[in-house]
Amino acid sequence: MWIQLRCGLEPKSLAALAVVLVVAAVFAGTHFWSARPQAVRVPEPVVEAVTGLAGASAPVDLPAGPSPAAVPFAMASAPGAHIVVDVSGKVLRPGIQELPPGSRVADALRAAGGVREGADTTGLNRARVLTDGEQVVVGVPGAQPAQAGPAGGTGGSAGGGRAGPVAPISLNAATPEQLETLPGVGPVLAGHIIDYRTEHGGYRSVDQLREVSGIGDRRFAELRPLVRP
């Protein structure tokens, strides 16, 4: 009544103004209610997946904010995440050894009980990184001079040259003298082969001989069946 008397509004106009004010109030209330802050649930740490990878029977306690390196660490310790090498020769416990990825020759020797006293480890690179399925031979020459020629003949070749090796020579364990028993390999080329072995941490494949200075395609074709990593 006060607004009607003050502003001189008719009842119909006053009712219309009241409706507009109510609608505006409802709209404003709805807008502020929908824009209110809401609580967000923090995702639970994935404990079961990491526990399954690690092979543990009890839950693994993870920090509130696990680092990205947590999962790769668990995968590295999972069953099957290892390499298998054959350690033979003059060690205390020769045989198959299972080691973590990235292990070196020194780790394989420790797993085999260590090197026997008096064993010759010349040419054995203990710092070389191992690969799955390779063989580490300790204190045994990688090759022996041929004692007989083909078809039961006497030692030596028909041309009077030196005889080739009986078994493939290990590029990772051979001495310069053993490498010089290979066809076309002299002291200089044997030195290049050993220098490459030292600089690159050993040979992982026979194909790496192509990268040695002085070995072309023809020489590589001759040496490939006579050597091994």
Side-chain angles (χ1 to χ4, degrees):
M1 294 297 294
W2 180 83
I3 295 176
Q4 181 179 5
L5 295 174
R6 180 74 174 176
C7 300
L9 297 176
E10 297 182 358
K12 293 183 179 180
S13 300
L14 183 60
L17 178 61
V19 171
V20 171
L21 292 176
V22 170
V23 172
V26 172
F27 177 78
T30 304
H31 175 74
F32 284 110
W33 178 261
S34 62
R36 76 187 189 282
Q38 298 180 1
V40 179
R41 183 180 179 184
V42 179
E44 295 292 337
V46 186
V47 178
E48 297 180 357
V50 178
T51 303
L53 290 174
S57 57
V60 179
D61 294 331
L62 293 178
S67 63
V71 175
F73 176 80
M75 293 178 64
S77 60
H82 57 257
I83 60 174
V84 180
V85 297
D86 181 12
V87 184
S88 60
K90 297 183 179 180
V91 291
L92 296 180
R93 296 191 301 271
I96 301 297
Q97 305 293 338
E98 295 185 1
L99 302 170
S103 298
R104 301 178 183 270
V105 172
D107 300 322
L109 297 181
R110 281 193 293 269
V115 180
R116 294 182 181 177
E117 185 177 358
D120 182 15
T121 58
T122 303
L124 184 63
N125 184 3
R126 297 172 184 259
R128 180 173 59 83
V129 179
L130 296 168
T131 57
D132 184 55
E134 75 167 276
Q135 182 183 37
V136 179
V137 182
V138 182
V140 179
Q144 296 290 340
Q147 301 298 324
T154 58
S157 60
R162 58 191 177 187
V166 175
I169 291 180
S170 172
L171 295 173
N172 292 318
T175 62
E177 292 77 13
Q178 294 169 351
L179 292 174
E180 290 176 22
T181 63
L182 296 169
V185 178
V188 176
L189 186 53
H192 290 333
I193 295 175
I194 293 179
D195 290 342
Y196 183 93
R197 178 177 70 190
T198 303
E199 294 173 1
H200 294 80
Y203 291 87
R204 295 175 176 79
S205 171
V206 175
D207 293 338
Q208 289 181 276
L209 276 179
R210 295 178 180 270
E211 303 175 13
V212 176
S213 176
I215 297 182
D217 293 339
R218 181 177 179 182
R219 182 63 48 79
F220 174 77
E222 296 176 352
L223 296 177
R224 183 170 187 175
L226 303 176
V227 295
R228 61 180 176 84

